[in-house]
Amino acid sequence: MAVDEMDWALLRELQRDARLSYSELSRRVHLSPPAVAERVRRLERIGVVTGYHAHVDLSKAGRHVVAVIRMSCYGARCVLRDPDVAAWPEVLEIHRVTGDACCILKVATGAMEEFEAVIDRLAPYGQPSSTMVLSTPLSWRPVDP
């Protein structure tokens, strides 16, 4: 199913504020509330809209140490093959990548000691190589057509 211009109008508004009511969405995109509700449900059903989330300021939430970790691990003992790693509270994202690493993890901890513990927990999976995040000039952006 293709995403048309009206779907993109809805997506733009939902990405700005996912808490909008169907009535308010209707007013903003000039479509009836039942039509808006049906389109949003369709976007959810086909997987274009995958969820509704709050953006959290990591530092204000007590996660002052943010890093990306490249993992060089292949085979049976790979981070990508262990679903428990994705459940670690410090792990925010896992990306399977090309190149000399198999994946990149974004992690956030409250202190350097906690970050060190994450590195230690990752070591049995392969070679972790970390890069500390100093600042984040662009933390998120909406998807546009």
Side-chain angles (χ1 to χ4, degrees):
M1 293 184 136
V3 176
D4 64 19
E5 280 303 310
M6 182 54 67
D7 292 335
W8 277 112
L10 288 166
L11 290 169
R12 274 190 292 278
E13 294 300 329
L14 287 171
Q15 288 179 96
R16 283 189 198 113
D17 184 356
R19 297 175 66 183
L20 292 173
S21 67
Y22 288 145
S23 293
E24 180 60 21
L25 270 172
S26 168
R27 188 185 69 69
R28 291 184 184 193
V29 300
H30 310 290
L31 197 63
S32 72
V36 164
E38 175 53 35
R39 281 181 174 263
V40 170
R41 282 193 292 272
R42 181 179 59 80
L43 290 168
E44 292 168 345
R45 187 174 60 253
I46 66 174
V48 174
V49 173
T50 59
Y52 300 90
H53 312 277
H55 293 277
V56 175
D57 183 310
L58 291 171
S59 182
K60 290 179 181 173
R63 302 279 186 97
H64 304 287
V65 179
V66 180
V68 289
I69 303 171
R70 293 178 25 167
M71 288 297 300
S72 296
C73 56
Y74 298 94
R77 189 73 175 137
C78 178
V79 166
L80 297 172
R81 295 179 192 262
D82 188 344
D84 292 339
V85 175
W88 296 358
E90 304 89 354
V91 176
L92 303 179
E93 300 173 15
I94 301 175
H95 302 275
R96 184 177 182 190
V97 298
T98 61
D100 60 350
C102 74
C103 61
I104 295 175
L105 293 77
K106 179 180 177 184
V107 301
T109 64
M112 192 55 71
E113 295 80 17
E114 295 170 37
F115 175 72
E116 189 175 350
V118 170
I119 293 295
D120 291 344
R121 287 170 68 194
L122 286 170
Y125 294 95
Q127 179 73 36
S129 174
S130 62
T131 301
M132 304 308 294
V133 174
L134 299 176
S135 67
T136 305
L138 178 65
S139 64
W140 178 86
R141 75 176 326 147
V143 177
D144 282 323

